[in-house]
Amino acid sequence: MLLKLSLSSMRKMMKDYLVLLVGLVISISIFYMFQTLALNSDYTKNNSMISSIQIVFNVGAFLLAFITIFYIFYANSFLLSLRRKELGMYMVLGAKKGKISQILFLETLTMGIISLVIGSLVGIALASGIGVLLMNLLEISTDGYYPFYLPAVWMTWGFFLILFIITSTINATRLARATELALIRAEQQNDQIKSKGIGAVLVAILGVILLALGYTCLHLIMYLQALGFIVGAISCTIGTYLIFISLLPVLVQALKKNKKLNDSKLNAFTFAQLRFRVNNLTKILGTVAMLIGLGVGAMAGGLAFQQNVNLFTSVFHVYDVNLHDPVEADYEALKKMNVLEQNTYRYKVDDKAYYYLKEDLLANPLLISTNSTQNYSADNKPKLVTDPLPKETYIISASKEDNGKYDAVPEDWDKAISANFINYQMIEGKSVLVVDQATYEKTAGSEHKVLLAQVDDYLKYTQELKAMDERQKQMIGSIANVEVKDVYTSSKYSTYAGMYIFTSGTMFMGFFLGIAFLAMMASCLMFKILSGASRDKDRYSMLRKIGVRQSLLVGSIYKELFMVFIFPAIIGLMHVLLGMEMFSFILLDPYLNIWIPTLIFVVIYAIYYYITVQLYRGIVLPKEA
Amino acid sequence: MSTAVLEVKDVQKIYGTKGESQSHALKGVSMTIDKGEFVGIMGPSGSGKTTLLNVISTLDRPTEGFIEIAGTNITQMKNNQLADFRSQKLGFIFQDFNLLENLSVYENIALPLSLQGVPSKEISNKVSKVAQTLGIEEILQKYPVQISGGQKQRAAAARALVHDPAILLADEPTGALDSKNAKSLLETMTDLNENHQVSIMMVTHDAFSASYCKRILFIQDGKLYTEIQRTGDRQQFFKQILDVLAELGASHDVR
């Protein structure tokens, strides 16, 4: 009988449970998708490129798990609070507490299992859709990647089942400790009207100061290092909470003090509701602001890293093509490209050293990048190396025997030659020398050449460049006697590809993590608002009685909740915009395309805002006759 | 000859849909309240007096019949019109005060005026005037939780009157008050009626409260049972009311 009752009441609160379910499904499915990548070591082993992402996804899964724990606890205690009265009534009617606890336990667990089933299915769909799409985007073979991967399923189920069992137990024990009367009277509490005085203003000022300090620390993170990050993060967090505790109530109070505004239409009521909310929701609003910051930050950070790859690559590489002993296929490929400049430099190799011909270098001096990651500007154009090379022999890289035998090459030349000619796997510890024509001719050993070229836009030719890189790897592999997959080339393309995969993985994870964060946070806010809705019911019914138009009431709801939603959004986005500065020491332009994550956030948040308004409206206002 | 502020004609209210178990809450009630009257509606539980109040206060629609308040037929109005009508022409006092506890007393009283878009300055004047009439100037800045039940009901009355409604509708206004506060409120209502020409319709089942009225309509089983007019002093009227109630009770038993 009791089970029947509980089922029917769950059905009544379908909407609330649905919101919880959606949050859980999002979390579970993303967790699962991360796990398919994080756990499938066979796959990552065969794709050396992707193994660097594996750690990213492990970190992502951990973060997600962490936040999900909070979410589940929060959401469950909300649902419990919704049903306290009903459960208390059962007890008054003589139902045993143990029995009710048992039912509650089963309910929570059932809910968890349902969300696990749906979540796993959605996760598999996500993995086979988006996961495979990612692989294709990164041009990584999907052989060995399974959207349906049993260890990931076990991991997901194991982790979440334990989580659900823990929360169910906590729910049940929490109920068991409450008395019947406390349960029934759960809702009958009046709003405390706390007056905010000068103290609040001081706290608000302190909050603003802490925020400013935090931002400054993040801004100066290059000098302050880890300390800056820790101080920045802590003072930003505390500052955020202080602002929500003090500044916001003071602001709303100021709105109310404006007599003209307050006396117009329903404003007095709207502001009063708002004041109550900002006073009661300080903690959750602060948390939401922080998590919006983290969520959007994860997305923006991931995106920024990915978008900066191209900039990065051009900092390190001036030449788009860099080939040792180009073959026919390489020339064919070059013909397809729009080559701006192309030069060939000769060298000889014997068993002791690499000898580069000085005259070739002087005939076509090399370009070097004038940018660095610390000091990047698009205006810093590459410069030609013009230092004269009067001596017979210079050394760039010395073997043990040659140490100290020759003069070092001038710095710019060293930079140019190291960046473009030397592959340390290839030279196998031999010296690298620059010699004049006479010495060059005297040197026995095989002659080779290296080709450098600049093209109009190397991103147009990634296919050809990739093929060239493969051929270079084959060649270097045979010289150095290493397996091809362990060969690293120093071409622009390989730098680009390596970073691109890593950063795309980061971006991909950042996006999903961000979305999961946002969805869970927005639903927390929503739960919190809805949990107070039944108390507001009387207020709205009274307003209707004295003749407030339905449209005005609905308008008031929209306005009030908009304010509640907008405050954490503003602070959270401010955190992102100012906090991204922190990446400027590793990223050339942390703000590249930041509008994309911002837009995603706004859309998700707006959807939750709309749903909250509709659900709230459904609770406090009867259907229009 | 005074003019009618409220006219109710053959009003029926049927709950439930046809074919199913229907209940006739009102079976053709007709009544008139003139401007400046203080009329009580009495009747046992389930007699239909709350339904009558609800259809008059436009919170519910009559199934059949015609209601006119201050010259306006309210039975044909749309929802928004009804809401506007309530906010402009009617004043309510409820048993449980129905003050918004998150607004100060001042804001509660000002609400009906704010809704009509009255300028802030004028609101301020009107609120202090009505607060003076009801003797609650001291508590205007307080919140409902900080004041007594009697004060709450006065604040509610102030809110009901601040916009000069055509008629004040009171639903068991003394129901949640102790006898001292109840008496004080009833005296205030009498004062409003006699000295400020406020028309009042009060629904009550308490004979003592009813004895403050000038005229009382008795309802039973959804129909008007009888009507008595106060001619002498209140004590006498009180006895008269008790007699009718006894009669009502007796008719119940006989049936």
Side-chain angles (χ1 to χ4, degrees):
Chain A
M1 183 58 203
L2 221 44
L3 200 66
K4 220 184 232 170
L5 277 175
S6 108
L7 272 181
S8 78
S9 73
M10 271 181 93
R11 207 171 302 138
K12 247 185 282 163
M13 296 197 299
M14 198 61 196
K15 272 188 249 160
D16 300 310
Y17 277 95
L18 213 61
V19 174
L20 171 69
L21 199 70
V22 169
L24 287 178
V25 165
I26 290 178
S27 162
I28 292 170
S29 54
I30 292 177
F31 185 87
Y32 171 82
M33 184 169 61
F34 285 178
Q35 291 301 330
T36 58
L37 279 165
L39 290 179
N40 193 339
S41 49
D42 285 344
Y43 173 63
T44 45
K45 238 184 257 163
N46 290 329
N47 287 273
S48 58
M49 284 293 210
I50 208 169
S51 58
S52 56
I53 310 183
Q54 200 172 14
I55 180 138
V56 173
F57 283 104
N58 272 318
V59 171
F62 173 76
L63 279 175
L64 189 64
F66 192 69
I67 203 76
T68 308
I69 292 175
F70 277 102
Y71 174 66
I72 292 178
F73 274 93
Y74 192 81
N76 265 312
S77 71
F78 159 70
L79 287 171
L80 182 66
S81 77
L82 271 190
R83 307 196 42 197
R84 283 169 81 96
K85 206 171 180 178
E86 174 201 338
L87 296 174
M89 194 58 81
Y90 294 159
M91 280 193 218
V92 170
L93 294 176
K96 283 202 190 82
K97 220 183 226 180
K99 186 80 185 157
I100 290 182
S101 293
Q102 202 183 333
I103 285 180
L104 201 67
F105 178 84
L106 284 177
E107 264 182 25
T108 320
L109 202 60
T110 315
M111 190 69 199
I113 291 174
I114 293 174
S115 59
L116 256 179
V117 172
I118 303 177
S120 314
L121 291 176
V122 175
I124 291 168
L126 268 185
S128 61
I130 298 171
V132 171
L133 189 77
L134 172 78
M135 306 295 158
N136 287 334
L137 205 74
L138 301 182
E139 294 165 11
I140 299 172
S141 123
T142 49
D143 292 343
Y145 175 71
Y146 309 108
F148 177 74
Y149 188 61
L150 219 50
V153 175
W154 290 135
M155 185 71 182
T156 310
W157 275 73
F159 174 76
F160 280 96
L161 266 184
I162 291 173
L163 212 58
F164 288 138
I165 288 172
I166 294 173
T167 40
S168 311
T169 316
I170 289 177
N171 253 356
T173 46
R174 206 186 280 173
L175 181 77
R177 266 186 310 190
T179 66
E180 287 86 341
L181 275 177
L183 286 173
I184 293 181
R185 292 198 181 140
E187 279 175 13
Q188 301 170 352
Q189 288 162 348
N190 275 325
D191 298 347
Q192 294 276 319
I193 310 289
K194 286 173 242 154
S195 65
K196 302 270 171 184
I198 187 83
V201 176
L202 288 179
V203 175
I205 293 171
L206 185 65
V208 173
I209 291 174
L210 277 175
L211 265 192
L213 173 72
Y215 289 148
T216 316
C217 283
L218 293 180
H219 195 82
L220 299 175
I221 200 158
M222 211 153 91
Y223 311 104
L224 300 172
Q225 309 275 326
L227 181 75
F229 181 73
I230 294 167
V231 174
I234 291 176
S235 73
C236 269
T237 311
I238 298 176
T240 306
Y241 282 104
L242 287 185
I243 280 190
F244 276 100
I245 288 168
S246 57
L247 188 62
L248 217 49
V250 170
L251 268 180
V252 176
Q253 195 69 32
L255 271 182
K256 263 196 98 63
K257 283 249 172 73
N258 184 335
K259 220 164 159 15
K260 229 174 179 168
L261 201 62
N262 199 39
D263 275 347
S264 144
K265 296 279 174 193
L266 256 189
N267 279 355
F269 176 73
T270 313
F271 292 158
Q273 287 284 90
L274 195 61
R275 178 181 54 193
F276 154 70
R277 289 210 193 283
V278 294
N279 278 325
N280 278 266
L281 303 181
T282 45
K283 271 177 254 139
I284 177 98
L285 288 180
T287 312
V288 168
M290 287 311 292
L291 283 153
I292 287 172
L294 285 181
V296 180
M299 289 199 271
L303 185 73
F305 271 98
Q306 203 254 6
Q307 302 278 315
N308 273 278
V309 166
N310 190 16
L311 294 180
F312 254 118
T313 320
S314 43
V315 166
F316 298 129
H317 298 273
V318 176
Y319 293 99
D320 303 305
V321 180
N322 154 348
L323 297 167
H324 285 273
D325 292 334
V327 294
E328 194 51 38
D330 295 326
Y331 288 113
E332 287 297 319
L334 274 169
K335 269 183 207 155
K336 284 187 208 147
M337 302 179 198
N338 185 2
V339 179
L340 303 176
E341 196 196 339
Q342 179 178 334
N343 294 308
T344 314
Y345 304 87
R346 280 170 288 170
Y347 66 90
K348 278 185 178 168
V349 185
D350 64 13
D351 51 353
K352 286 203 222 86
Y354 278 69
Y355 307 89
Y356 279 92
L357 181 57
K358 189 168 80 182
E359 279 68 16
D360 276 2
L361 290 172
L362 291 172
N364 294 305
L366 296 170
L367 285 164
I368 55 170
S369 165
T370 54
N371 264 323
S372 69
T373 46
Q374 275 81 23
N375 195 1
Y376 176 82
S377 158
D379 298 330
N380 292 345
K381 298 286 179 229
K383 71 167 184 190
L384 274 178
V385 181
T386 51
D387 298 330
L389 296 171
K391 293 201 173 132
E392 223 170 77
T393 310
Y394 292 94
I395 194 155
I396 294 116
S397 175
S399 66
K400 272 181 198 149
E401 305 98 71
D402 289 342
N403 219 344
K405 261 168 129 180
Y406 307 102
D407 285 334
V409 78
E411 199 189 334
D412 281 356
W413 278 112
D414 183 78
K415 201 175 161 190
I417 295 169
S418 303
N420 296 303
F421 295 162
I422 301 181
N423 181 314
Y424 286 92
Q425 263 177 324
M426 191 165 91
I427 64 172
E428 297 178 284
K430 292 175 189 170
S431 296
V432 178
L433 305 168
V434 173
V435 296
D436 62 3
Q437 186 84 36
T439 322
Y440 186 80
E441 273 162 19
K442 268 188 275 172
T443 308
S446 56
E447 185 167 64
H448 301 270
K449 60 185 167 187
V450 59
L451 182 149
L452 298 182
Q454 279 186 300
V455 298
D456 55 342
D457 177 9
Y458 77 103
L459 291 178
K460 284 202 299 205
Y461 312 116
T462 48
Q463 286 305 325
E464 287 86 358
L465 292 171
K466 189 181 181 186
M468 282 180 181
D469 219 49
E470 288 301 319
R471 287 191 288 270
Q472 288 282 299
K473 279 186 183 176
Q474 293 278 356
M475 188 196 73
I476 296 171
S478 66
I479 294 173
N481 205 10
V482 276
E483 276 191 58
V484 171
K485 73 177 174 67
D486 294 329
V487 173
Y488 295 97
T489 62
S490 54
S491 67
K492 189 171 189 174
Y493 174 78
S494 70
T495 307
Y496 169 77
M499 284 212 284
Y500 183 70
I501 287 184
F502 181 74
T503 54
S504 296
T506 313
M507 178 189 75
F508 179 74
M509 187 209 67
F511 263 80
F512 278 94
L513 212 55
I515 289 174
F517 269 36
L518 290 179
M520 281 189 267
M521 275 319 104
S523 44
C524 273
L525 183 55
M526 178 169 161
F527 283 141
K528 187 75 192 177
I529 290 172
L530 292 181
S531 63
S534 50
R535 178 190 15 220
D536 296 339
K537 208 169 164 173
D538 293 341
R539 296 179 187 163
Y540 282 93
S541 101
M542 197 241 96
L543 285 171
R544 262 167 40 82
K545 278 185 192 162
I546 67 165
V548 183
R549 281 180 175 212
Q550 179 100 352
S551 53
L552 213 52
L553 290 176
V554 174
S556 164
I557 294 176
Y558 270 103
K559 217 192 284 180
E560 173 199 340
L561 295 185
F562 180 74
M563 304 278 254
V564 172
F565 269 80
I566 199 77
F567 284 132
I570 289 173
I571 304 254
L573 283 180
M574 195 167 85
H575 283 347
V576 176
L577 290 179
L578 296 170
M580 284 303 283
E581 183 62 34
M582 147 180 109
F583 289 117
S584 61
F585 80 106
I586 34 173
L587 288 183
L588 303 174
D589 181 5
Y591 295 102
L592 209 57
N593 284 340
I594 200 162
W595 63 270
I596 297 176
T598 310
L599 185 72
I600 292 178
F601 158 70
V602 169
V603 169
I604 294 179
Y605 207 58
I607 291 173
Y608 272 94
Y609 164 65
Y610 182 75
I611 296 176
T612 310
V613 169
Q614 295 310 319
L615 288 180
Y616 184 79
R617 191 180 158 180
I619 295 175
V620 297
L621 293 179
K623 284 217 177 69
E624 185 100 351
Chain B
M1 187 67 204
S2 49
T3 48
V5 66
L6 169 74
E7 207 178 341
V8 175
K9 234 182 211 162
D10 297 325
V11 164
Q12 291 195 35
K13 179 70 193 176
I14 303 168
Y15 288 108
T17 47
K18 253 186 189 164
E20 284 173 38
S21 59
Q22 286 183 331
S23 70
H24 290 246
L26 295 176
K27 303 172 184 166
V29 175
S30 299
M31 59 181 272
T32 312
I33 294 179
D34 286 338
K35 199 169 179 349
E37 268 199 301
F38 187 174
V39 175
I41 308 277
M42 290 195 80
S45 303
S47 61
K49 59 183 191 301
T50 303
T51 309
L52 180 63
L53 183 74
N54 280 346
V55 294
I56 290 174
S57 59
T58 76
L59 293 170
D60 207 345
R61 287 171 190 277
T63 316
E64 208 66 55
F66 157 90
I67 300 172
E68 201 178 85
I69 299 175
T72 316
N73 180 2
I74 60 165
T75 44
Q76 298 303 320
M77 283 186 174
K78 298 250 162 48
N79 279 331
N80 273 343
Q81 286 174 303
L82 283 178
D84 291 348
F85 183 81
R86 278 204 293 281
S87 70
Q88 285 158 23
K89 295 286 157 71
L90 301 181
F92 292 96
I93 308 180
F94 303 92
Q95 176 175 351
D96 46 3
F97 321 130
N98 262 327
L99 291 171
L100 290 163
E101 79 270 25
N102 55 356
L103 296 184
S104 68
V105 171
Y106 176 90
E107 288 169 326
N108 263 293
I109 300 174
L111 200 56
L113 297 176
S114 298
L115 287 173
Q116 292 173 30
V118 176
S120 186
K121 211 165 175 188
E122 209 179 318
I123 291 180
S124 186
N125 289 337
K126 286 197 171 172
V127 171
S128 31
K129 206 174 138 215
V130 75
Q132 206 177 359
T133 313
L134 287 159
I136 49 170
E137 304 111 298
E138 305 296 313
I139 55 163
L140 281 180
Q141 293 316 318
K142 297 204 162 152
Y143 284 87
V145 282
Q146 299 167 313
I147 61 177
S148 74
Q151 287 172 319
K152 277 187 207 172
Q153 199 56 295
R154 277 165 191 279
R159 186 182 62 192
L161 292 170
V162 73
H163 56 298
D164 288 325
I167 186 166
L168 178 66
L169 302 171
D171 185 7
E172 305 275 10
T174 57
L177 298 179
D178 60 43
S179 62
K180 187 169 150 270
N181 274 316
K183 199 164 171 220
S184 157
L185 179 77
L186 289 163
E187 277 162 6
T188 307
M189 286 171 75
T190 309
D191 173 64
L192 287 171
N193 174 246
E194 287 174 355
N195 301 325
H196 297 85
Q197 288 76 46
V198 178
S199 316
I200 303 174
M201 178 178 129
M202 176 170 77
V203 170
T204 181
H205 66 268
D206 171 35
F208 175 76
S209 297
S211 68
Y212 281 83
C213 302
K214 299 286 155 57
R215 180 161 70 103
I216 295 173
L217 305 170
F218 290 86
I219 300 186
Q220 191 180 29
D221 298 332
K223 277 185 282 196
L224 218 55
Y225 175 78
T226 185
E227 151 171 5
I228 56 172
Q229 191 93 30
R230 177 166 153 190
T231 44
D233 67 354
R234 209 169 52 72
Q235 306 301 335
Q236 212 179 335
F237 195 45
F238 180 59
K239 287 202 183 91
Q240 223 178 323
I241 296 166
L242 289 179
D243 286 344
V244 179
L245 287 178
E247 214 178 296
L248 264 171
S251 74
H252 244 286
D253 292 340
V254 169
R255 218 165 33 131

